[in-house]
Amino acid sequence: MDMLVAMPHEYETALSTHDEKSITVRDKDLSSDIMGEMDFGGAVYLLLTGEEPSEGEQQLTNAMLSSLMVHGTTPHAVASRLTYLSEPESIQGAVASGLLGVGSRFAGAMEECSRELQEITAGDDTQTEIEKLVADYREREDRFSGIGHPHLNPVDPRAEKLFQLADEADIAGVHVETLHELQAAFEKETGYDLPINVTGAIAAVSADMGLPPKGARGFAIISRAAGLVAEILEEDESPVAMNIWQFVDGEMKFKKS
Amino acid sequence: MDMLVAMPHEYETALSTHDEKSITVRDKDLSSDIMGEMDFGGAVYLLLTGEEPSEGEQQLTNAMLSSLMVHGTTPHAVASRLTYLSEPESIQGAVASGLLGVGSRFAGAMEECSRELQEITAGDDTQTEIEKLVADYREREDRFSGIGHPHLNPVDPRAEKLFQLADEADIAGVHVETLHELQAAFEKETGYDLPINVTGAIAAVSADMGLPPKGARGFAIISRAAGLVAEILEEDESPVAMNIWQFVDGEMKFKKS
Amino acid sequence: MDMLVAMPHEYETALSTHDEKSITVRDKDLSSDIMGEMDFGGAVYLLLTGEEPSEGEQQLTNAMLSSLMVHGTTPHAVASRLTYLSEPESIQGAVASGLLGVGSRFAGAMEECSRELQEITAGDDTQTEIEKLVADYREREDRFSGIGHPHLNPVDPRAEKLFQLADEADIAGVHVETLHELQAAFEKETGYDLPINVTGAIAAVSADMGLPPKGARGFAIISRAAGLVAEILEEDESPVAMNIWQFVDGEMKFKKS
Amino acid sequence: MDMLVAMPHEYETALSTHDEKSITVRDKDLSSDIMGEMDFGGAVYLLLTGEEPSEGEQQLTNAMLSSLMVHGTTPHAVASRLTYLSEPESIQGAVASGLLGVGSRFAGAMEECSRELQEITAGDDTQTEIEKLVADYREREDRFSGIGHPHLNPVDPRAEKLFQLADEADIAGVHVETLHELQAAFEKETGYDLPINVTGAIAAVSADMGLPPKGARGFAIISRAAGLVAEILEEDESPVAMNIWQFVDGEMKFKKS
């Protein structure tokens, strides 16, 4: 590959640059325009979108980021604590171990949900698309990740709050609307009351903010990172990981191959 | 291990619990007391410390979280983008790949710095401890991570801003003071002007907030998680990872063993 | 969840157990039946399948594991080295950082390929399934991961060797055959000579060994883990990561949002 | 940084190169000299050291790699399974999640052990160094990771086997000898029978092979990668992760901050 030459114009970023005096984030000076001037929700909105947030966008971003930090003792929390038990020198390793589970089943499903919502709203005929989606899920015996919750019932109060904030800030738009239509369609189809959950709300609200599906899961990653840092600090004070491991290893019954 | 029985009282957490109606974070209701009521900096402070933040603590936490999101194109950013190139399905995998480098050399050194500051201030004679630390670093030809910066000079404006906010909020205490004494001692010893950098400032300020050393690195992990989410969203829009890989593989000269 | 009680019979494993004298892996004693008695390929085969390998299965497993350790300087290698630059204390963190990219595009695509082969051969009419797959890929303008290679041409010698070993050991079966039929169909459709690559060969051979699709990617993970350990040991002796980072950060052009 | 130019001579590797016909690993052709010609232990030895292994080195490497794959249900296994529960699409993410715990306390301590052994043997007076190390550990009330085992007693049969193979292959040297002297010193100091464990044996044997301390942990990483792949394949067949999570979340008692 001797002829492969660096093509500087192909290495471009709009996120950040730096010189001897300052660090620039998007079009702002980090230490004078962001730190002390915006809260973290605002800084994240700016960094992800390249646009200065309105007060409502800032508040909504803060609320989304706060909503998924912790939720009882999650699989992510247990994974992080067990990894920390084995390697107490590396908090970032323990946090990463748990973050890897911000996945399609638990904590990360807003990506798929946002993708579905964005595909439906991009189509010509929303109502037909909704019917098709509901039929598809029923046929595959799959659960639409943004609707229904194993224990929060009849509503997921986190979703309610996000919709309320999105309404007040005039952000709620076609994706929030479509998600409610989907809810109605699934309820009609199944005969059950099915709450929109926080996963669905983040998907819809972030889509109405203009973020791509991966951005929706991005909020969950940042949020859960904070939760997992807290799990590790607590594990230092009040350890449970050794107990968990000993319990599991002790209960596990060996069966012959 | 048949006799190993679960001891429920040893499984305790103060972080979170949940029932059919709500999720509790510390002593607050997540959806009514935190979402829409606190910004994310406040929520993180509450979660990590168990205490409701003052306005100043909230603002300072937001500023720390915003300070390390991005800084040009970091090693973490490149690692995340290359992992994403290979596995575009898993944004959490790509983010985790980069977060693993929030380490002792780049982005995570505030943990060690906070540990040193907390050890000095816990001792009987701060001045003697400072002299000993400076002598130790000189003997090992090591660099104290909180002081000095390869390109920001004469000051790291992020550190300046954090100290200003900590002063205004009346948070700056013995750890901030000790760090400035260390700076003076290193400058005297070396004859150079050495700025306190953002790593040192986060270490000192978070220690004055009562956080343990791992909490200091925890802020960096949460902050950089946001930056790495942004890198992945940008990689989708304006990719550089393939270019980087091809450049490196092309430049790499093979030498015989 | 007060009524949730542990159900010991639901915690079962056939992989391993241990007591004060020994460790059992599948139905064998680790230190007397495996260590010194089998090579690592054999031990991996035993562990993954629960069956003692024939000599041919052992040799083929060793060859698959050896085939993907390194391949020039891969994206995985660069990610691992950059993470190690930032956190030199944790070799497992650096290796994990790179392993996260054993993904659908580079190094991990044998999972999808094995899934396609196993679906085709499970169908009633292999020939129709093959035609359908080729048409689907053409319509989506997608590349079937097991066929074709960006620089190895006209053959991928690793694939050739795996097929030869599988033939000699009488392991090659319906999945290897189907992959060759797919190759012919893609060549006919496109008019190009398209080699079966190592990804395809591992997919087909591991499927003929009875392994599920995830097992195929599992071989790549183990293999690449060895390669990434080697990258880190070399980075200690002959570092390139700082150079790579400085190059990228220096070349990156900042554009306004 | 416009003047920063690529300096090709600073990008060097002895691990691998590739062209249109072949892939080279160290000084050998991957598909004709390694695959089918060496087992995986041999390939790993070659890749890590740059030297062709003797039969004994090959056998010993295979035995080390086989020794740490599984050991009952480890913290690593539980972390991987819980991550897989949350993200079933990414086996490499689940494996990485568990590998992050190949740490200083469980599964990765041979690095520190090898470092101690290499420092002792590099000194002028081995006996004095041994006495100093024993005194240091006693003062710190720390446990030397290579000696003693919580449940394997009076011997760790994996260590015994590794020493036997190292003797037969004439590899055992000054590090194996020093470890036995350390064992005697700790036994004398404590009055207990203390077995050398597999961690110590891998540290000593790999050091006698000429590998650096990180190479010792490297063997554990590769070995455990295989074990974690097996855990994920079994989780698909016979799941326990949901049970573990529900148990832990159900048992966890919430206490007020």
mmCIF file of all heavy atoms in Angstrom, chain A residues 91-114:
data_model
loop_
_atom_site.group_PDB
_atom_site.id
_atom_site.type_symbol
_atom_site.label_atom_id
_atom_site.label_comp_id
_atom_site.label_asym_id
_atom_site.label_seq_id
_atom_site.Cartn_x
_atom_site.Cartn_y
_atom_site.Cartn_z
ATOM 1 N N ILE A 91 -11.893 1.322 37.783
ATOM 2 C CA ILE A 91 -13.325 1.650 37.803
ATOM 3 C C ILE A 91 -13.871 1.765 36.389
ATOM 4 O O ILE A 91 -15.007 1.378 36.118
ATOM 5 C CB ILE A 91 -13.614 2.915 38.649
ATOM 6 C CG1 ILE A 91 -15.107 3.247 38.654
ATOM 7 C CG2 ILE A 91 -12.799 4.099 38.227
ATOM 8 C CD1 ILE A 91 -15.507 4.369 39.617
ATOM 9 N N GLN A 92 -13.049 2.241 35.459
ATOM 10 C CA GLN A 92 -13.565 2.358 34.087
ATOM 11 C C GLN A 92 -13.809 0.985 33.475
ATOM 12 O O GLN A 92 -14.724 0.813 32.664
ATOM 13 C CB GLN A 92 -12.660 3.233 33.211
ATOM 14 C CG GLN A 92 -11.398 2.594 32.692
ATOM 15 C CD GLN A 92 -10.270 2.665 33.726
ATOM 16 O OE1 GLN A 92 -10.484 2.834 34.933
ATOM 17 N NE2 GLN A 92 -9.053 2.518 33.248
ATOM 18 N N GLY A 93 -13.011 0.002 33.851
ATOM 19 C CA GLY A 93 -13.253 -1.355 33.369
ATOM 20 C C GLY A 93 -14.564 -1.908 33.911
ATOM 21 O O GLY A 93 -15.340 -2.529 33.182
ATOM 22 N N ALA A 94 -14.810 -1.658 35.184
ATOM 23 C CA ALA A 94 -16.053 -2.141 35.790
ATOM 24 C C ALA A 94 -17.268 -1.460 35.161
ATOM 25 O O ALA A 94 -18.274 -2.109 34.864
ATOM 26 C CB ALA A 94 -16.020 -1.903 37.297
ATOM 27 N N VAL A 95 -17.171 -0.155 34.960
ATOM 28 C CA VAL A 95 -18.290 0.566 34.348
ATOM 29 C C VAL A 95 -18.508 0.083 32.911
ATOM 30 O O VAL A 95 -19.644 -0.180 32.493
ATOM 31 C CB VAL A 95 -18.051 2.091 34.395
ATOM 32 C CG1 VAL A 95 -19.081 2.836 33.552
ATOM 33 C CG2 VAL A 95 -18.090 2.583 35.841
ATOM 34 N N ALA A 96 -17.437 -0.088 32.171
ATOM 35 C CA ALA A 96 -17.560 -0.568 30.788
ATOM 36 C C ALA A 96 -18.198 -1.949 30.755
ATOM 37 O O ALA A 96 -19.017 -2.248 29.877
ATOM 38 C CB ALA A 96 -16.192 -0.599 30.107
ATOM 39 N N SER A 97 -17.827 -2.794 31.711
ATOM 40 C CA SER A 97 -18.392 -4.150 31.765
ATOM 41 C C SER A 97 -19.916 -4.109 31.829
ATOM 42 O O SER A 97 -20.601 -4.863 31.131
ATOM 43 C CB SER A 97 -17.822 -4.868 32.996
ATOM 44 O OG SER A 97 -18.372 -6.144 33.144
ATOM 45 N N GLY A 98 -20.454 -3.213 32.646
ATOM 46 C CA GLY A 98 -21.907 -3.080 32.745
ATOM 47 C C GLY A 98 -22.526 -2.367 31.564
ATOM 48 O O GLY A 98 -23.614 -2.724 31.102
ATOM 49 N N LEU A 99 -21.833 -1.351 31.057
ATOM 50 C CA LEU A 99 -22.379 -0.580 29.917
ATOM 51 C C LEU A 99 -22.582 -1.453 28.686
ATOM 52 O O LEU A 99 -23.445 -1.156 27.849
ATOM 53 C CB LEU A 99 -21.442 0.567 29.542
ATOM 54 C CG LEU A 99 -21.543 1.845 30.345
ATOM 55 C CD1 LEU A 99 -20.652 2.909 29.725
ATOM 56 C CD2 LEU A 99 -22.983 2.358 30.436
ATOM 57 N N LEU A 100 -21.759 -2.497 28.565
ATOM 58 C CA LEU A 100 -21.899 -3.376 27.397
ATOM 59 C C LEU A 100 -23.281 -4.005 27.326
ATOM 60 O O LEU A 100 -23.716 -4.449 26.274
ATOM 61 C CB LEU A 100 -20.801 -4.447 27.420
ATOM 62 C CG LEU A 100 -19.425 -3.863 27.093
ATOM 63 C CD1 LEU A 100 -18.321 -4.855 27.419
ATOM 64 C CD2 LEU A 100 -19.364 -3.454 25.625
ATOM 65 N N GLY A 101 -23.980 -4.013 28.455
ATOM 66 C CA GLY A 101 -25.337 -4.529 28.464
ATOM 67 C C GLY A 101 -26.418 -3.478 28.247
ATOM 68 O O GLY A 101 -27.599 -3.770 28.466
ATOM 69 N N VAL A 102 -26.057 -2.263 27.856
ATOM 70 C CA VAL A 102 -27.096 -1.291 27.462
ATOM 71 C C VAL A 102 -27.553 -1.726 26.074
ATOM 72 O O VAL A 102 -27.187 -1.159 25.052
ATOM 73 C CB VAL A 102 -26.577 0.160 27.501
ATOM 74 C CG1 VAL A 102 -27.660 1.134 27.055
ATOM 75 C CG2 VAL A 102 -26.125 0.517 28.921
ATOM 76 N N GLY A 103 -28.323 -2.794 26.078
ATOM 77 C CA GLY A 103 -28.533 -3.573 24.882
ATOM 78 C C GLY A 103 -29.949 -3.564 24.365
ATOM 79 O O GLY A 103 -30.804 -2.785 24.802
ATOM 80 N N SER A 104 -30.176 -4.455 23.433
ATOM 81 C CA SER A 104 -31.475 -4.471 22.758
ATOM 82 C C SER A 104 -32.590 -4.967 23.682
ATOM 83 O O SER A 104 -33.751 -4.675 23.435
ATOM 84 C CB SER A 104 -31.394 -5.358 21.518
ATOM 85 O OG SER A 104 -31.056 -6.682 21.888
ATOM 86 N N ARG A 105 -32.241 -5.716 24.721
ATOM 87 C CA ARG A 105 -33.298 -6.209 25.616
ATOM 88 C C ARG A 105 -33.507 -5.332 26.835
ATOM 89 O O ARG A 105 -34.642 -5.093 27.232
ATOM 90 C CB ARG A 105 -33.013 -7.654 26.061
ATOM 91 C CG ARG A 105 -33.318 -8.644 24.942
ATOM 92 C CD ARG A 105 -33.242 -10.068 25.435
ATOM 93 N NE ARG A 105 -34.297 -10.417 26.370
ATOM 94 C CZ ARG A 105 -34.300 -11.514 27.126
ATOM 95 N NH1 ARG A 105 -33.287 -12.352 27.042
ATOM 96 N NH2 ARG A 105 -35.278 -11.764 27.960
ATOM 97 N N PHE A 106 -32.431 -4.906 27.473
ATOM 98 C CA PHE A 106 -32.578 -4.075 28.665
ATOM 99 C C PHE A 106 -31.736 -2.815 28.549
ATOM 100 O O PHE A 106 -30.535 -2.883 28.363
ATOM 101 C CB PHE A 106 -32.183 -4.852 29.930
ATOM 102 C CG PHE A 106 -33.033 -6.054 30.169
ATOM 103 C CD1 PHE A 106 -32.512 -7.334 30.077
ATOM 104 C CD2 PHE A 106 -34.379 -5.908 30.472
ATOM 105 C CE1 PHE A 106 -33.309 -8.447 30.281
ATOM 106 C CE2 PHE A 106 -35.191 -7.022 30.668
ATOM 107 C CZ PHE A 106 -34.651 -8.295 30.574
ATOM 108 N N ALA A 107 -32.382 -1.694 28.662
ATOM 109 C CA ALA A 107 -31.751 -0.376 28.767
ATOM 110 C C ALA A 107 -31.376 0.279 27.444
ATOM 111 O O ALA A 107 -31.162 1.479 27.405
ATOM 112 C CB ALA A 107 -30.542 -0.392 29.704
ATOM 113 N N GLY A 108 -31.281 -0.481 26.348
ATOM 114 C CA GLY A 108 -30.844 0.142 25.099
ATOM 115 C C GLY A 108 -31.855 0.030 23.973
ATOM 116 O O GLY A 108 -31.576 0.399 22.837
ATOM 117 N N ALA A 109 -33.058 -0.439 24.274
ATOM 118 C CA ALA A 109 -34.021 -0.745 23.214
ATOM 119 C C ALA A 109 -34.625 0.488 22.562
ATOM 120 O O ALA A 109 -35.326 0.386 21.554
ATOM 121 C CB ALA A 109 -35.127 -1.650 23.757
ATOM 122 N N MET A 110 -34.341 1.676 23.110
ATOM 123 C CA MET A 110 -34.892 2.887 22.473
ATOM 124 C C MET A 110 -34.317 3.097 21.070
ATOM 125 O O MET A 110 -34.930 3.796 20.271
ATOM 126 C CB MET A 110 -34.664 4.131 23.338
ATOM 127 C CG MET A 110 -33.237 4.444 23.639
ATOM 128 S SD MET A 110 -32.554 3.314 24.890
ATOM 129 C CE MET A 110 -33.491 3.755 26.344
ATOM 130 N N GLU A 111 -33.184 2.508 20.786
ATOM 131 C CA GLU A 111 -32.625 2.667 19.438
ATOM 132 C C GLU A 111 -33.554 2.024 18.408
ATOM 133 O O GLU A 111 -33.932 2.659 17.429
ATOM 134 C CB GLU A 111 -31.226 2.042 19.363
ATOM 135 C CG GLU A 111 -30.619 2.171 17.974
ATOM 136 C CD GLU A 111 -29.206 1.611 17.879
ATOM 137 O OE1 GLU A 111 -28.507 1.538 18.913
ATOM 138 O OE2 GLU A 111 -28.796 1.243 16.756
ATOM 139 N N GLU A 112 -33.893 0.777 18.644
ATOM 140 C CA GLU A 112 -34.789 0.072 17.735
ATOM 141 C C GLU A 112 -36.149 0.776 17.676
ATOM 142 O O GLU A 112 -36.739 0.939 16.598
ATOM 143 C CB GLU A 112 -34.962 -1.378 18.204
ATOM 144 C CG GLU A 112 -35.905 -2.229 17.373
ATOM 145 C CD GLU A 112 -35.473 -2.379 15.936
ATOM 146 O OE1 GLU A 112 -34.311 -2.041 15.634
ATOM 147 O OE2 GLU A 112 -36.287 -2.805 15.098
ATOM 148 N N CYS A 113 -36.626 1.215 18.828
ATOM 149 C CA CYS A 113 -37.933 1.872 18.883
ATOM 150 C C CYS A 113 -37.910 3.177 18.083
ATOM 151 O O CYS A 113 -38.837 3.477 17.324
ATOM 152 C CB CYS A 113 -38.271 2.121 20.350
ATOM 153 S SG CYS A 113 -39.903 2.778 20.605
ATOM 154 N N SER A 114 -36.829 3.936 18.237
ATOM 155 C CA SER A 114 -36.710 5.187 17.475
ATOM 156 C C SER A 114 -36.640 4.894 15.973
ATOM 157 O O SER A 114 -37.229 5.603 15.152
ATOM 158 C CB SER A 114 -35.460 5.956 17.927
ATOM 159 O OG SER A 114 -35.203 7.029 17.065
#
